[in-house]
CSV table of all heavy atoms in Angstrom, one decimal:
chain,number,residue,atom,x,y,z
A,1,PRO,N,133.2,91.8,64.4
A,1,PRO,CA,132.8,92.8,63.5
A,1,PRO,C,131.3,92.8,63.2
A,1,PRO,O,130.7,93.8,62.9
A,1,PRO,CB,133.6,92.6,62.3
A,1,PRO,CG,134.2,91.2,62.4
A,1,PRO,CD,134.2,90.9,63.9
A,2,ASP,N,130.6,91.6,63.3
A,2,ASP,CA,129.2,91.6,63.0
A,2,ASP,C,128.3,91.9,64.2
A,2,ASP,O,127.1,91.9,64.1
A,2,ASP,CB,128.9,90.2,62.5
A,2,ASP,CG,129.1,89.1,63.5
A,2,ASP,OD1,130.0,89.3,64.4
A,2,ASP,OD2,128.5,88.0,63.4
A,3,ARG,N,129.0,92.3,65.3
A,3,ARG,CA,128.2,92.7,66.5
A,3,ARG,C,128.3,94.2,66.7
A,3,ARG,O,129.3,94.8,66.4
A,3,ARG,CB,128.8,92.0,67.8
A,3,ARG,CG,128.8,90.6,67.7
A,3,ARG,CD,127.5,90.1,68.2
A,3,ARG,NE,127.5,88.6,68.2
A,3,ARG,CZ,126.7,87.9,68.9
A,3,ARG,NH1,125.9,88.4,69.7
A,3,ARG,NH2,126.8,86.6,68.8
A,4,HIS,N,127.2,94.8,67.2
A,4,HIS,CA,127.2,96.2,67.6
A,4,HIS,C,127.1,96.3,69.1
A,4,HIS,O,126.6,95.4,69.7
A,4,HIS,CB,126.1,96.9,66.8
A,4,HIS,CG,124.7,96.5,67.4
A,4,HIS,ND1,124.1,95.3,67.0
A,4,HIS,CD2,123.9,97.0,68.2
A,4,HIS,CE1,123.0,95.1,67.6
A,4,HIS,NE2,122.8,96.2,68.4
A,5,PRO,N,127.6,97.5,69.6
A,5,PRO,CA,127.4,97.7,71.0
A,5,PRO,C,125.9,97.7,71.4
A,5,PRO,O,125.1,98.1,70.5
A,5,PRO,CB,128.0,99.1,71.3
A,5,PRO,CG,128.8,99.4,70.1
A,5,PRO,CD,128.2,98.6,68.9
A,6,LEU,N,125.5,97.2,72.5
A,6,LEU,CA,124.1,97.3,72.9
A,6,LEU,C,123.6,98.7,73.1
A,6,LEU,O,124.4,99.6,73.5
A,6,LEU,CB,123.9,96.5,74.3
A,6,LEU,CG,124.2,95.0,74.3
A,6,LEU,CD1,123.9,94.5,75.7
A,6,LEU,CD2,123.3,94.3,73.3
A,7,THR,N,122.4,98.9,72.7
A,7,THR,CA,121.8,100.2,72.9
A,7,THR,C,121.2,100.3,74.3
A,7,THR,O,121.1,99.3,75.0
A,7,THR,CB,120.6,100.3,71.9
A,7,THR,OG1,119.6,99.4,72.2
A,7,THR,CG2,121.1,100.1,70.4
A,8,ASP,N,120.8,101.5,74.7
A,8,ASP,CA,120.2,101.7,76.0
A,8,ASP,C,118.9,100.8,76.1
A,8,ASP,O,118.7,100.2,77.1
A,8,ASP,CB,119.8,103.1,76.2
A,8,ASP,CG,121.0,104.0,76.4
A,8,ASP,OD1,122.1,103.5,76.7
A,8,ASP,OD2,120.9,105.3,76.3
A,9,VAL,N,118.1,100.7,75.0
A,9,VAL,CA,116.9,99.9,75.0
A,9,VAL,C,117.3,98.4,75.2
A,9,VAL,O,116.6,97.7,76.0
A,9,VAL,CB,116.1,100.1,73.7
A,9,VAL,CG1,115.0,99.1,73.6
A,9,VAL,CG2,115.6,101.5,73.7
A,10,GLU,N,118.3,98.0,74.6
A,10,GLU,CA,118.7,96.6,74.7
A,10,GLU,C,119.2,96.3,76.1
A,10,GLU,O,118.9,95.2,76.7
A,10,GLU,CB,119.8,96.2,73.7
A,10,GLU,CG,119.2,96.1,72.3
A,10,GLU,CD,120.3,96.0,71.2
A,10,GLU,OE1,121.4,96.7,71.3
A,10,GLU,OE2,120.1,95.3,70.2
A,11,TYR,N,119.9,97.2,76.7
A,11,TYR,CA,120.3,97.0,78.1
A,11,TYR,C,119.0,97.0,79.0
A,11,TYR,O,119.0,96.2,80.0
A,11,TYR,CB,121.2,98.1,78.6
A,11,TYR,CG,122.7,97.9,78.3
A,11,TYR,CD1,123.4,98.7,77.4
A,11,TYR,CD2,123.4,96.9,78.9
A,11,TYR,CE1,124.7,98.5,77.1
A,11,TYR,CE2,124.7,96.6,78.6
A,11,TYR,CZ,125.4,97.4,77.7
A,11,TYR,OH,126.7,97.2,77.4
A,12,GLN,N,118.1,97.8,78.7
A,12,GLN,CA,116.8,97.8,79.5
A,12,GLN,C,116.1,96.5,79.3
A,12,GLN,O,115.6,95.9,80.3
A,12,GLN,CB,115.9,99.0,79.1
A,12,GLN,CG,116.5,100.3,79.5
A,12,GLN,CD,115.9,101.5,78.7
A,12,GLN,OE1,114.9,101.3,77.9
A,12,GLN,NE2,116.4,102.7,79.0
A,13,GLN,N,116.1,96.0,78.1
A,13,GLN,CA,115.4,94.7,77.9
A,13,GLN,C,116.1,93.6,78.6
A,13,GLN,O,115.5,92.7,79.1
A,13,GLN,CB,115.4,94.4,76.4
A,13,GLN,CG,114.4,95.3,75.6
A,13,GLN,CD,114.6,95.2,74.1
A,13,GLN,OE1,115.7,94.9,73.6
A,13,GLN,NE2,113.5,95.5,73.4
A,14,LEU,N,117.5,93.6,78.6
A,14,LEU,CA,118.3,92.6,79.2
A,14,LEU,C,118.0,92.6,80.7
A,14,LEU,O,117.8,91.6,81.4
A,14,LEU,CB,119.7,92.8,78.9
A,14,LEU,CG,120.7,91.8,79.5
A,14,LEU,CD1,120.4,90.4,79.1
A,14,LEU,CD2,122.1,92.2,79.2
A,15,LEU,N,118.0,93.8,81.3
A,15,LEU,CA,117.7,93.9,82.7
A,15,LEU,C,116.3,93.4,83.0
A,15,LEU,O,116.1,92.6,84.0
A,15,LEU,CB,117.8,95.4,83.2
A,15,LEU,CG,117.4,95.7,84.6
A,15,LEU,CD1,118.2,94.9,85.6
A,15,LEU,CD2,117.4,97.2,84.9
A,16,GLU,N,115.3,93.8,82.2
A,16,GLU,CA,113.9,93.3,82.5
A,16,GLU,C,113.9,91.8,82.4
A,16,GLU,O,113.2,91.2,83.2
A,16,GLU,CB,113.0,94.0,81.5
A,16,GLU,CG,111.5,93.6,81.8
A,16,GLU,CD,110.5,94.4,81.0
A,16,GLU,OE1,110.9,95.4,80.3
A,16,GLU,OE2,109.3,94.1,81.1
A,17,PHE,N,114.5,91.2,81.4
A,17,PHE,CA,114.5,89.8,81.3
A,17,PHE,C,115.2,89.1,82.5
A,17,PHE,O,114.6,88.2,83.1
A,17,PHE,CB,115.2,89.3,80.0
A,17,PHE,CG,115.4,87.8,79.9
A,17,PHE,CD1,114.3,87.0,79.7
A,17,PHE,CD2,116.6,87.2,80.2
A,17,PHE,CE1,114.4,85.6,79.6
A,17,PHE,CE2,116.8,85.8,80.2
A,17,PHE,CZ,115.7,85.0,79.9
A,18,ARG,N,116.3,89.6,82.9
A,18,ARG,CA,117.0,89.0,84.1
A,18,ARG,C,116.1,89.2,85.3
A,18,ARG,O,116.1,88.3,86.2
A,18,ARG,CB,118.4,89.6,84.2
A,18,ARG,CG,119.3,89.2,83.1
A,18,ARG,CD,120.7,89.8,83.3
A,18,ARG,NE,121.3,89.5,84.6
A,18,ARG,CZ,122.1,88.4,84.8
A,18,ARG,NH1,122.4,87.6,83.8
A,18,ARG,NH2,122.6,88.2,85.9
A,19,ASP,N,115.5,90.4,85.5
A,19,ASP,CA,114.6,90.6,86.6
A,19,ASP,C,113.4,89.5,86.6
A,19,ASP,O,113.1,88.9,87.6
A,19,ASP,CB,114.0,92.0,86.6
A,19,ASP,CG,114.9,93.1,87.0
A,19,ASP,OD1,116.0,92.7,87.5
A,19,ASP,OD2,114.6,94.2,86.7
A,20,ARG,N,112.9,89.3,85.4
A,20,ARG,CA,111.8,88.3,85.3
A,20,ARG,C,112.3,86.9,85.5
A,20,ARG,O,111.6,86.1,86.1
A,20,ARG,CB,111.2,88.4,83.9
A,20,ARG,CG,110.5,89.7,83.5
A,20,ARG,CD,109.2,89.8,84.1
A,20,ARG,NE,108.6,91.1,83.8
A,20,ARG,CZ,107.3,91.3,83.7
A,20,ARG,NH1,106.5,90.4,84.0
A,20,ARG,NH2,106.9,92.5,83.5
A,21,LEU,N,113.5,86.6,85.1
A,21,LEU,CA,114.0,85.3,85.3
A,21,LEU,C,114.2,85.0,86.8
A,21,LEU,O,113.9,84.0,87.3
A,21,LEU,CB,115.4,85.2,84.6
A,21,LEU,CG,116.1,83.8,84.7
A,21,LEU,CD1,115.2,82.7,84.1
A,21,LEU,CD2,117.4,83.9,83.9
A,22,ARG,N,114.8,86.0,87.5
A,22,ARG,CA,115.0,85.9,88.9
A,22,ARG,C,113.6,85.7,89.6
A,22,ARG,O,113.5,85.0,90.6
A,22,ARG,CB,115.8,87.0,89.5
A,22,ARG,CG,117.3,86.9,89.2
A,22,ARG,CD,118.2,87.8,90.0
A,22,ARG,NE,117.7,89.1,90.3
A,22,ARG,CZ,117.8,90.1,89.4
A,22,ARG,NH1,118.4,90.0,88.3
A,22,ARG,NH2,117.3,91.3,89.7
A,23,SER,N,112.7,86.5,89.2
A,23,SER,CA,111.3,86.4,89.8
A,23,SER,C,110.7,85.1,89.5
A,23,SER,O,110.1,84.5,90.4
A,23,SER,CB,110.4,87.5,89.2
A,23,SER,OG,110.8,88.8,89.6
A,24,PHE,N,110.9,84.5,88.3
A,24,PHE,CA,110.4,83.2,88.0
A,24,PHE,C,111.0,82.2,89.0
A,24,PHE,O,110.3,81.3,89.5
A,24,PHE,CB,110.7,82.8,86.6
A,24,PHE,CG,110.4,81.3,86.3
A,24,PHE,CD1,109.2,80.8,86.2
A,24,PHE,CD2,111.5,80.4,86.2
A,24,PHE,CE1,108.9,79.5,85.9
A,24,PHE,CE2,111.3,79.1,86.0
A,24,PHE,CZ,110.0,78.6,85.9
A,25,LEU,N,112.3,82.2,89.2
A,25,LEU,CA,113.0,81.3,90.0
A,25,LEU,C,112.5,81.4,91.5
A,25,LEU,O,112.3,80.4,92.1
A,25,LEU,CB,114.5,81.5,90.0
A,25,LEU,CG,115.2,81.1,88.6
A,25,LEU,CD1,116.6,81.5,88.6
A,25,LEU,CD2,115.0,79.6,88.3
A,26,ARG,N,112.4,82.6,91.9
A,26,ARG,CA,111.8,82.8,93.3
A,26,ARG,C,110.4,82.2,93.4
A,26,ARG,O,110.1,81.6,94.4
A,26,ARG,CB,111.8,84.3,93.7
A,26,ARG,CG,113.2,84.7,94.1
A,26,ARG,CD,113.1,85.7,95.2
A,26,ARG,NE,114.4,86.1,95.7
A,26,ARG,CZ,114.9,87.3,95.7
A,26,ARG,NH1,114.2,88.3,95.2
A,26,ARG,NH2,116.1,87.4,96.1
A,27,TRP,N,109.6,82.5,92.4
A,27,TRP,CA,108.2,82.0,92.4
A,27,TRP,C,108.2,80.5,92.4
A,27,TRP,O,107.5,79.8,93.2
A,27,TRP,CB,107.5,82.5,91.2
A,27,TRP,CG,106.1,81.9,91.0
A,27,TRP,CD1,105.0,82.3,91.5
A,27,TRP,CD2,105.8,80.8,90.1
A,27,TRP,NE1,103.9,81.5,91.1
A,27,TRP,CE2,104.4,80.6,90.2
A,27,TRP,CE3,106.6,80.0,89.3
A,27,TRP,CZ2,103.8,79.6,89.6
A,27,TRP,CZ3,105.9,79.0,88.6
A,27,TRP,CH2,104.6,78.8,88.7
A,28,SER,N,109.1,79.9,91.6
A,28,SER,CA,109.1,78.4,91.5
A,28,SER,C,109.6,77.8,92.8
A,28,SER,O,109.1,76.8,93.2
A,28,SER,CB,110.1,78.0,90.3
A,28,SER,OG,110.1,76.6,90.2
A,29,GLU,N,110.6,78.4,93.4
A,29,GLU,CA,111.1,78.0,94.7
A,29,GLU,C,110.0,78.0,95.8
A,29,GLU,O,109.9,77.1,96.6
A,29,GLU,CB,112.3,78.8,95.1
A,29,GLU,CG,113.5,78.5,94.3
A,29,GLU,CD,114.7,79.5,94.5
A,29,GLU,OE1,114.5,80.5,95.3
A,29,GLU,OE2,115.7,79.3,93.8
A,30,ALA,N,109.2,79.1,95.8
A,30,ALA,CA,108.1,79.2,96.7
A,30,ALA,C,107.1,78.1,96.5
A,30,ALA,O,106.5,77.5,97.5
A,30,ALA,CB,107.5,80.6,96.6
A,31,ARG,N,106.8,77.8,95.2
A,31,ARG,CA,105.8,76.8,94.9
A,31,ARG,C,106.3,75.4,95.4
A,31,ARG,O,105.6,74.6,96.0
A,31,ARG,CB,105.6,76.7,93.4
A,31,ARG,CG,104.9,77.8,92.8
A,31,ARG,CD,103.4,77.7,92.8
A,31,ARG,NE,102.9,76.5,92.2
A,31,ARG,CZ,102.1,75.7,92.7
A,31,ARG,NH1,101.5,75.9,93.9
A,31,ARG,NH2,101.7,74.6,92.1
A,32,ALA,N,107.6,75.2,95.3
A,32,ALA,CA,108.2,73.9,95.8
A,32,ALA,C,108.0,73.8,97.3
A,32,ALA,O,107.6,72.8,97.8
A,32,ALA,CB,109.7,73.8,95.4
A,33,ARG,N,108.4,74.9,98.0
A,33,ARG,CA,108.3,74.9,99.4
A,33,ARG,C,106.8,74.7,99.9
A,33,ARG,O,106.5,74.1,100.9
A,33,ARG,CB,108.8,76.2,100.0
A,33,ARG,CG,110.3,76.3,100.0
A,33,ARG,CD,110.9,77.5,100.7
A,33,ARG,NE,112.3,77.6,100.5
A,33,ARG,CZ,112.9,78.4,99.5
A,33,ARG,NH1,112.1,79.2,98.8
A,33,ARG,NH2,114.2,78.5,99.4
A,34,SER,N,105.9,75.2,99.1
A,34,SER,CA,104.4,75.1,99.5
A,34,SER,C,103.9,73.7,99.5
A,34,SER,O,102.9,73.4,100.1
A,34,SER,CB,103.6,76.0,98.5
A,34,SER,OG,103.4,75.3,97.3
A,35,VAL,N,104.6,72.8,98.8
A,35,VAL,CA,104.2,71.4,98.8
A,35,VAL,C,105.2,70.5,99.6
A,35,VAL,O,105.2,69.3,99.5
A,35,VAL,CB,104.1,70.8,97.4
A,35,VAL,CG1,103.0,71.5,96.6
A,35,VAL,CG2,105.4,70.8,96.6
A,36,GLY,N,106.1,71.2,100.4
A,36,GLY,CA,107.0,70.5,101.2
A,36,GLY,C,108.3,70.0,100.6
A,36,GLY,O,109.0,69.2,101.2
A,37,LEU,N,108.7,70.6,99.5
A,37,LEU,CA,110.0,70.3,98.8
A,37,LEU,C,110.9,71.4,98.9
A,37,LEU,O,110.5,72.6,98.9
A,37,LEU,CB,109.8,70.0,97.3
A,37,LEU,CG,109.0,68.7,96.9
A,37,LEU,CD1,108.8,68.7,95.4
A,37,LEU,CD2,109.7,67.5,97.4
A,38,SER,N,112.2,71.1,99.0
A,38,SER,CA,113.2,72.2,98.9
A,38,SER,C,113.3,72.5,97.4
A,38,SER,O,113.0,71.7,96.6
A,38,SER,CB,114.5,71.8,99.5
A,38,SER,OG,115.1,70.8,98.6
A,39,PRO,N,113.7,73.7,97.0
A,39,PRO,CA,114.0,74.0,95.6
A,39,PRO,C,114.9,73.0,95.0
A,39,PRO,O,114.7,72.6,93.8
A,39,PRO,CB,114.6,75.4,95.6
A,39,PRO,CG,114.0,76.0,96.8
A,39,PRO,CD,113.9,74.9,97.9
């Protein structure tokens, strides 16, 4: 009862965060490979 359905803006924010999170992980994995380590 204390929760409300997500708004369109909240869904957009959630998508953007998840996109950024995946981008961060890809970036971090590439950095690891650049020094000869697997992720």
